[in-house]
Amino acid sequence: MKFTLRVQANRQAVHFIDNVMENYTNIYSIPFSKELRFVLHELVINAIEAMEKIDSPSPDGKIQIQILHNDEEIKLTVIDEAQGITENDIKKALQFDPNVHNYTDRGRGLFFVKNMVDSIWFKHLSSTKFLVGVSKKIHG
């Protein structure tokens, strides 16, 4: 199964994607469904927040979500048009120290995502398009 969604980069998209993913994981009896829904939720929020921060937003202001599921694994990708993040910022996000109190709930999403999936990757697709992907083995 493979499907792609293009949604407006706004808060309503988060709820829409949450509902789609909940229905999808229930219909197909996907293992780790709660974790995978959390992962996609966090990736969509990050993409939307990145789109909100750029000076000249994309003309259509959309993000793309792709779900690819086979008998062995599920892959989730999110593409935004907010130019991505630097290698240094990626490293910082993935090495978040939960024992350091910074009095904010910000900055923990990618750390938790990394620990809930088997693989996470980042790719600059163009000067504006940035992809974040994750995969999780579901059988085998």
Side-chain angles (χ1 to χ4, degrees):
M1 167 71 78
K2 176 180 177 180
F3 65 94
T4 303
L5 301 168
R6 283 181 47 87
V7 296
Q8 197 70 33
N10 59 35
R11 299 297 167 175
Q12 291 82 6
V14 175
H15 299 293
F16 175 74
I17 297 301
D18 286 348
N19 286 328
V20 168
M21 194 64 177
E22 180 176 9
N23 288 325
Y24 179 74
T25 58
N26 287 336
I27 289 169
Y28 287 93
S29 300
I30 307 285
F32 313 108
S33 61
K34 186 175 181 180
E35 293 87 346
L36 290 168
R37 290 193 314 258
F38 173 84
V39 164
L40 188 57
H41 176 91
E42 287 299 310
L43 296 180
V44 169
I45 286 175
N46 287 354
I48 290 168
E49 288 179 351
M51 295 282 291
E52 290 172 347
K53 289 180 183 177
I54 60 174
D55 292 332
S56 55
S58 163
D60 64 0
K62 301 231 188 277
I63 58 172
Q64 177 178 303
I65 297 98
Q66 185 174 77
I67 290 119
L68 174 64
H69 163 219
N70 60 36
D71 290 339
E72 294 151 12
E73 72 177 350
I74 187 166
K75 289 183 182 179
L76 312 171
T77 61
V78 176
I79 298 172
D80 65 49
E81 295 188 23
Q83 295 130 11
I85 57 179
T86 67
E87 289 291 323
N88 190 42
D89 287 341
I90 290 171
K91 287 179 185 175
K92 283 183 197 174
L94 296 177
Q95 295 175 355
F96 179 80
D97 184 352
N99 297 315
V100 174
H101 297 286
N102 61 4
Y103 302 103
T104 179
D105 288 335
R106 310 299 313 136
R108 297 179 183 175
L110 281 179
F111 172 77
F112 290 121
V113 165
K114 176 190 87 163
N115 289 294
M116 296 175 114
V117 298
D118 296 321
S119 177
I120 185 169
W121 64 94
F122 305 88
K123 184 174 183 181
H124 286 91
L125 301 174
S126 71
S127 62
T128 59
K129 288 188 178 189
F130 186 69
L131 176 143
V132 178
V134 298
S135 66
K136 176 85 174 163
K137 289 190 186 317
I138 55 175
H139 295 291

